[in-house]
Amino acid sequence: MNRYLLITARTEHFNPEDVAGHYEHLDRLKKEGCLEMYGPFGDATGGAYLISASSLAEAEEIGNADPLIRRGSSTVTVKEWRLR
């Protein structure tokens, strides 16, 4: 398993009502054992979360399943993160 950093950024179409679904998504990932840590940015422009996944494609699939992304409230950038 590799680690991937998923960086979310709010769009001009951000809807605060999508946040509850986002946290449900994160809770589900935590229960599945692939979410390591997460949190919002201090300037309220988005946030990031660190997951374990078997491939970049799987990590992108997880990121794109986030309700914030599916509904256009945010965009996601997925990077493999080789922590030391």
Side-chain angles (χ1 to χ4, degrees):
M1 291 292 235
N2 297 319
R3 289 185 173 132
Y4 296 89
L5 184 64
L6 287 74
I7 305 158
T8 62
R10 290 183 178 186
T11 68
E12 61 187 32
H13 306 291
F14 179 78
N15 182 347
E17 293 178 8
D18 293 336
V19 173
H22 168 67
Y23 281 115
E24 289 172 9
H25 177 70
L26 295 177
D27 287 343
R28 189 170 43 259
L29 295 176
K30 186 74 166 175
K31 286 177 187 172
E32 292 171 1
C34 69
L35 178 65
E36 294 189 32
M37 63 180 67
Y38 65 92
F41 298 139
D43 63 2
T45 60
Y49 49 107
L50 181 63
I51 63 168
S52 295
S54 60
S55 66
L56 178 60
E58 180 185 9
E60 289 172 338
E61 184 176 318
I62 290 169
N64 288 319
D66 188 324
L68 283 177
I69 308 311
R70 285 195 342 256
R71 296 186 177 137
S73 280
S74 296
T75 60
V76 66
T77 301
V78 181
K79 298 283 188 177
E80 183 178 359
W81 197 9
R82 298 178 180 167
L83 292 171
R84 304 224 183 263

